[in-house]
Amino acid sequence: MDNQPTTSNHDTQRSDAAFSWEQVVSANFTPLTGAVARPGDITRAAAMLTTVLNDLVEARRRAGNTFDRDEGAFDQLLMEYRHASQERL
Amino acid sequence: MTPISQWSIHDAHNALAQKEISINELVLDRLAAIKHAQPYLNCCTSITEDHAKERLEKLRHAPSQHVLAGLPVAHKDMFYRQGLPCTFGTSPNGHTLPTETALTLSRLDTAGAVQIATLNMAEFAFGATGHNEHFGPCRNPWNPDHMTGGSSSGSAASVAAGLVFGALGSDTGGSIRIPASACGVVGLKPTQGLVPMQGVMPMSRSMDCVGPLARSAQDVAILMDALMEEPASSSYQRTLGRSLKGVTIGVPTNYYYDDIDEEVAGLMQESLTHFEQLGCKLVDVTVPDHDLLTSLSYIVLGSESAAYHADFLDAVHSHYGTQTRARLLNGYLLPANAYVAAKQLRSFYTQRFLESVYQHCDLLHTPVLRQPVPTLDAVNMQANPKMSQMITALSYCTRLTNYLGLPAISQPGGFCRSGLPVGFQLVGKPFDERLLLSAAYGFEHASGIMNLVAPIQKWSR
């Protein structure tokens, strides 16, 4: 049986009312940060994760979910503009 | 005679050349001025008088002909200077005594500039208001009850107060442009990777930029020439004064003007009118993907800053300021794959932004702060629940530019009725700093809004 989640199930996990970043953050805050959470830390971190990770999913989708992405492409892009700028001088 | 505080770099250079003043007198004068202003502006973490006097002695034996020779400058206290403490705006546990000097400081030294202070900043550059729990808030020279903006708070304040001829800051999400706008000075965030970062404390290595602040586009261009050691043939000053006829200015129809204050919007429109008078063409542009770029920027910033601070934060996290600690700890919770993805997506979104915006225009014109400069009390959020929204609101117009790696300049555009300055931002294509500076220069001469100096003497009574 294929137990890999389907895309829709994967999406459902993120938006399932039972799932909450507050639970995840609360359980992992001290192990990951080494600090004891102060008032507001958990809520703030959970809100941040909710927003940025949801936006990241959309960013990947909008860019076309693909294996063909290279971190170095940004530096290459800038280098092309730099050469063009130097040629204009 | 015009007060020294109102001199441009060329004014000072000419006065020295004509022996109206000596380098010694100039430096000692500005040292006295910065000492006098410090109690109420709090723009310094230290006044480096001994260092300045050593520099004067060196210049006496080996004079420089550079236009910056003998001119007092300062920098955000995150640039290493060998043998001088570097505080990063944090508690004493985090201070360091560098064994190297930042390349940018060395280049200013080579030009003959004289450092007279290290400047107040948000702790570890984590802040957009100018508050600092260890050193106290930096205060706006136009009204000390108001924020300077941050994190290059002291850099903007000291320039605006006429205490130095230029200052260095850093910008990872708006930290040159926000204080430049709030203090009425010109601040340039160069293209990612243009100005060397060697010897500068990192906040987020992929997005950090070092840049100059000064009271005019010409003075910023002079500083850029020194920082980049540009020969005359490619000088940043060389293109100043060129005609802007035919330059197309993009005015965003989305995002940047959301929830903007009416008075600020009016000043934006006035600045655009000046560009039209210069022969620029205004076109409407739609900015793509703005809804995502802030989050992508935060993923990169959060992950990289958490990694940089890991050892120190584990050991002495209680010595970090409340807001710095809160923001840094969030970074530990970001999944690694999110960081990698955000980095990988950078070229796609930059290319798309360039194609969408710059096929229609040469420069994008936007506000820097959408509201008038707030009071220090109004934005003193520390780590309370509204802190994140406040930071996002202040960096709303600036943060995306850092993720995209683009150059941008904050240029004074006038004043609100409250008497506080309002800046506008021009964003260019990669390595188009010369066009940004030319446009800023043209605006200054068309509008007369240049070389603004805050009347700080009224605060010192």
Short mmCIF file of all heavy atoms in Angstrom, two decimals, chain B residues 218-247:
data_model
loop_
_atom_site.label_atom_id
_atom_site.label_comp_id
_atom_site.label_asym_id
_atom_site.label_seq_id
_atom_site.Cartn_x
_atom_site.Cartn_y
_atom_site.Cartn_z
N GLN B 218 25.62 63.90 -3.93
CA GLN B 218 27.03 64.07 -4.31
C GLN B 218 27.95 63.54 -3.21
O GLN B 218 28.95 62.87 -3.49
CB GLN B 218 27.33 65.53 -4.59
CG GLN B 218 28.79 65.75 -5.03
CD GLN B 218 29.03 67.13 -5.58
OE1 GLN B 218 28.60 68.13 -5.01
NE2 GLN B 218 29.70 67.22 -6.70
N ASP B 219 27.61 63.85 -1.97
CA ASP B 219 28.44 63.38 -0.87
C ASP B 219 28.40 61.85 -0.78
O ASP B 219 29.41 61.20 -0.49
CB ASP B 219 28.01 64.01 0.45
CG ASP B 219 28.45 65.47 0.57
OD1 ASP B 219 29.09 65.98 -0.38
OD2 ASP B 219 28.16 66.10 1.60
N VAL B 220 27.24 61.26 -1.02
CA VAL B 220 27.15 59.79 -1.04
C VAL B 220 28.00 59.24 -2.18
O VAL B 220 28.71 58.23 -2.01
CB VAL B 220 25.68 59.33 -1.18
CG1 VAL B 220 25.59 57.85 -1.52
CG2 VAL B 220 24.92 59.60 0.11
N ALA B 221 27.99 59.90 -3.32
CA ALA B 221 28.79 59.45 -4.47
C ALA B 221 30.28 59.52 -4.14
O ALA B 221 31.05 58.62 -4.50
CB ALA B 221 28.47 60.30 -5.70
N ILE B 222 30.69 60.58 -3.44
CA ILE B 222 32.10 60.71 -3.04
C ILE B 222 32.48 59.55 -2.13
O ILE B 222 33.55 58.94 -2.27
CB ILE B 222 32.34 62.06 -2.34
CG1 ILE B 222 32.20 63.22 -3.34
CG2 ILE B 222 33.70 62.09 -1.66
CD1 ILE B 222 32.19 64.59 -2.71
N LEU B 223 31.61 59.25 -1.17
CA LEU B 223 31.89 58.14 -0.26
C LEU B 223 31.95 56.82 -1.02
O LEU B 223 32.80 55.97 -0.74
CB LEU B 223 30.84 58.10 0.85
CG LEU B 223 30.93 59.24 1.86
CD1 LEU B 223 29.65 59.36 2.68
CD2 LEU B 223 32.12 59.04 2.80
N MET B 224 31.05 56.62 -1.98
CA MET B 224 31.07 55.38 -2.77
C MET B 224 32.38 55.26 -3.55
O MET B 224 32.94 54.17 -3.66
CB MET B 224 29.89 55.34 -3.74
CG MET B 224 28.59 54.89 -3.11
SD MET B 224 28.64 53.19 -2.47
CE MET B 224 28.68 52.24 -4.00
N ASP B 225 32.84 56.37 -4.09
CA ASP B 225 34.11 56.32 -4.81
C ASP B 225 35.24 55.87 -3.90
O ASP B 225 36.12 55.10 -4.31
CB ASP B 225 34.45 57.70 -5.41
CG ASP B 225 33.67 57.97 -6.68
OD1 ASP B 225 33.27 57.01 -7.36
OD2 ASP B 225 33.48 59.16 -7.02
N ALA B 226 35.23 56.35 -2.66
CA ALA B 226 36.27 55.94 -1.71
C ALA B 226 36.10 54.49 -1.31
O ALA B 226 37.07 53.73 -1.25
CB ALA B 226 36.23 56.84 -0.48
N LEU B 227 34.87 54.07 -1.06
CA LEU B 227 34.62 52.69 -0.61
C LEU B 227 34.98 51.69 -1.70
O LEU B 227 35.41 50.57 -1.41
CB LEU B 227 33.16 52.52 -0.22
CG LEU B 227 32.67 53.28 1.01
CD1 LEU B 227 31.16 53.12 1.19
CD2 LEU B 227 33.40 52.79 2.26
N MET B 228 34.75 52.07 -2.95
CA MET B 228 34.98 51.15 -4.06
C MET B 228 36.32 51.41 -4.75
O MET B 228 36.67 50.71 -5.69
CB MET B 228 33.84 51.27 -5.09
CG MET B 228 32.48 50.90 -4.55
SD MET B 228 32.44 49.23 -3.87
CE MET B 228 32.78 48.29 -5.35
N GLU B 229 37.03 52.44 -4.27
CA GLU B 229 38.33 52.82 -4.87
C GLU B 229 38.18 52.96 -6.38
O GLU B 229 38.96 52.41 -7.16
CB GLU B 229 39.43 51.81 -4.51
CG GLU B 229 39.71 51.81 -3.00
CD GLU B 229 40.91 50.98 -2.60
OE1 GLU B 229 41.10 49.88 -3.16
OE2 GLU B 229 41.66 51.42 -1.71
N GLU B 230 37.14 53.70 -6.76
CA GLU B 230 36.85 53.85 -8.19
C GLU B 230 37.83 54.84 -8.82
O GLU B 230 38.08 55.92 -8.31
CB GLU B 230 35.43 54.40 -8.38
CG GLU B 230 34.32 53.42 -8.14
CD GLU B 230 34.28 52.26 -9.13
OE1 GLU B 230 34.72 52.45 -10.28
OE2 GLU B 230 33.83 51.17 -8.73
N PRO B 231 38.36 54.48 -9.97
CA PRO B 231 39.17 55.46 -10.71
C PRO B 231 38.26 56.53 -11.31
O PRO B 231 37.04 56.34 -11.38
CB PRO B 231 39.81 54.61 -11.82
CG PRO B 231 38.88 53.46 -12.00
CD PRO B 231 38.25 53.20 -10.66
N ALA B 232 38.84 57.63 -11.72
CA ALA B 232 38.06 58.76 -12.24
C ALA B 232 37.17 58.35 -13.41
O ALA B 232 36.05 58.83 -13.55
CB ALA B 232 38.99 59.89 -12.67
N SER B 233 37.66 57.42 -14.22
CA SER B 233 36.90 57.03 -15.42
C SER B 233 35.58 56.37 -15.08
O SER B 233 34.65 56.38 -15.89
CB SER B 233 37.75 56.09 -16.28
OG SER B 233 38.14 54.97 -15.52
N SER B 234 35.49 55.76 -13.89
CA SER B 234 34.24 55.08 -13.52
C SER B 234 33.67 55.64 -12.22
O SER B 234 32.87 54.99 -11.56
CB SER B 234 34.47 53.57 -13.41
OG SER B 234 35.47 53.31 -12.45
N SER B 235 34.06 56.85 -11.89
CA SER B 235 33.65 57.47 -10.63
C SER B 235 32.13 57.57 -10.53
O SER B 235 31.43 57.84 -11.51
CB SER B 235 34.26 58.87 -10.55
OG SER B 235 33.57 59.67 -9.62
N TYR B 236 31.64 57.37 -9.32
CA TYR B 236 30.20 57.54 -9.07
C TYR B 236 29.80 59.01 -9.19
O TYR B 236 28.64 59.32 -9.42
CB TYR B 236 29.82 57.00 -7.68
CG TYR B 236 29.82 55.50 -7.63
CD1 TYR B 236 30.95 54.78 -7.25
CD2 TYR B 236 28.70 54.77 -8.01
CE1 TYR B 236 30.97 53.40 -7.24
CE2 TYR B 236 28.69 53.39 -7.99
CZ TYR B 236 29.84 52.71 -7.62
OH TYR B 236 29.85 51.33 -7.62
N GLN B 237 30.76 59.92 -9.08
CA GLN B 237 30.43 61.33 -9.20
C GLN B 237 30.32 61.76 -10.66
O GLN B 237 29.70 62.78 -10.97
CB GLN B 237 31.54 62.18 -8.55
CG GLN B 237 31.73 61.94 -7.07
CD GLN B 237 32.94 62.69 -6.58
OE1 GLN B 237 32.95 63.91 -6.50
NE2 GLN B 237 34.00 61.96 -6.25
N ARG B 238 30.93 60.96 -11.53
CA ARG B 238 31.09 61.39 -12.91
C ARG B 238 29.75 61.59 -13.63
O ARG B 238 29.63 62.45 -14.49
CB ARG B 238 31.94 60.36 -13.67
CG ARG B 238 32.49 60.86 -14.96
CD ARG B 238 33.64 59.99 -15.43
NE ARG B 238 33.64 59.98 -16.89
CZ ARG B 238 33.34 58.95 -17.65
NH1 ARG B 238 33.02 57.79 -17.08
NH2 ARG B 238 33.33 59.03 -18.96
N THR B 239 28.76 60.77 -13.26
CA THR B 239 27.49 60.83 -13.96
C THR B 239 26.48 61.75 -13.28
O THR B 239 25.37 61.92 -13.76
CB THR B 239 26.88 59.43 -14.07
OG1 THR B 239 26.90 58.81 -12.79
CG2 THR B 239 27.66 58.57 -15.06
N LEU B 240 26.89 62.36 -12.17
CA LEU B 240 25.97 63.30 -11.51
C LEU B 240 25.77 64.51 -12.42
O LEU B 240 26.72 64.97 -13.05
CB LEU B 240 26.56 63.76 -10.17
CG LEU B 240 26.78 62.70 -9.11
CD1 LEU B 240 27.38 63.32 -7.86
CD2 LEU B 240 25.49 61.98 -8.77
N GLY B 241 24.55 65.01 -12.46
CA GLY B 241 24.30 66.19 -13.28
C GLY B 241 23.94 65.86 -14.71
O GLY B 241 23.60 66.76 -15.49
N ARG B 242 23.99 64.58 -15.09
CA ARG B 242 23.59 64.25 -16.46
C ARG B 242 22.08 64.40 -16.58
O ARG B 242 21.34 64.27 -15.62
CB ARG B 242 24.02 62.83 -16.83
CG ARG B 242 23.21 61.73 -16.19
CD ARG B 242 23.70 60.37 -16.65
NE ARG B 242 22.85 59.30 -16.15
CZ ARG B 242 23.17 58.02 -16.18
NH1 ARG B 242 24.30 57.63 -16.68
NH2 ARG B 242 22.34 57.10 -15.71
N SER B 243 21.66 64.66 -17.79
CA SER B 243 20.23 64.89 -18.01
C SER B 243 19.43 63.63 -17.68
O SER B 243 19.85 62.51 -18.00
CB SER B 243 20.00 65.28 -19.48
OG SER B 243 18.61 65.29 -19.76
N LEU B 244 18.29 63.84 -17.06
CA LEU B 244 17.40 62.72 -16.76
C LEU B 244 16.25 62.65 -17.77
O LEU B 244 15.32 61.86 -17.58
CB LEU B 244 16.84 62.87 -15.34
CG LEU B 244 17.89 62.79 -14.23
CD1 LEU B 244 17.26 63.09 -12.88
CD2 LEU B 244 18.54 61.42 -14.18
N LYS B 245 16.36 63.44 -18.82
CA LYS B 245 15.29 63.44 -19.82
C LYS B 245 15.18 62.04 -20.42
O LYS B 245 16.18 61.45 -20.85
CB LYS B 245 15.63 64.45 -20.92
CG LYS B 245 14.45 64.83 -21.78
CD LYS B 245 14.80 65.98 -22.70
CE LYS B 245 13.61 66.24 -23.62
NZ LYS B 245 13.89 67.18 -24.67
N GLY B 246 13.98 61.54 -20.42
CA GLY B 246 13.76 60.21 -20.99
C GLY B 246 13.88 59.07 -19.99
O GLY B 246 13.50 57.94 -20.29
N VAL B 247 14.41 59.35 -18.81
CA VAL B 247 14.47 58.31 -17.78
C VAL B 247 13.04 58.02 -17.33
O VAL B 247 12.26 58.93 -17.06
CB VAL B 247 15.34 58.75 -16.59
CG1 VAL B 247 15.20 57.78 -15.42
CG2 VAL B 247 16.79 58.89 -17.01
#
